[in-house]
Amino acid sequence: GPVGRTASGTVNAGDGGFAAVYTYAHSKGLFAGVSLQGKFIVGRPDVNHSFYGCPVDAHDLLMGQVPAPKAAQPLYEVLEAVIGP
């Protein structure tokens, strides 16, 4: 039967940090696979309050209604150097 190979990699991030995940599969004959993926975004008001020093709504952050914090300036500089203004 047919022979197939596949490889993939991803990075998972969580409270414990980052972890690389690598997979490799080699099959001969009939193979069927299923992949189920899902993502969700959770607001963390306590972290926003700690970082910004006052209660900040996640929607306001994402819409640019909150001034950029000085602590994030190095990140903005790197992003601008990579993707431009």
Side-chain angles (χ1 to χ4, degrees):
V3 175
R5 291 182 175 87
T6 184
S8 67
T10 187
V11 175
N12 291 333
D15 290 338
F18 296 96
V21 178
Y22 304 100
T23 60
Y24 175 80
H26 177 99
S27 62
K28 183 175 182 180
L30 181 62
F31 173 78
V34 175
S35 176
L36 176 63
Q37 299 179 357
K39 295 174 178 44
F40 63 94
I41 297 175
V42 177
R44 297 179 60 191
D46 56 327
V47 175
N48 290 343
H49 185 260
S50 175
F51 185 75
Y52 288 93
C54 62
V56 177
D57 185 61
H59 180 267
D60 294 340
L61 286 172
L62 294 173
M63 294 295 118
Q65 297 172 352
V66 177
K70 291 181 183 179
Q73 189 58 37
L75 171 63
Y76 291 121
E77 290 172 359
V78 169
L79 291 173
E80 187 171 322
V82 173
I83 61 174

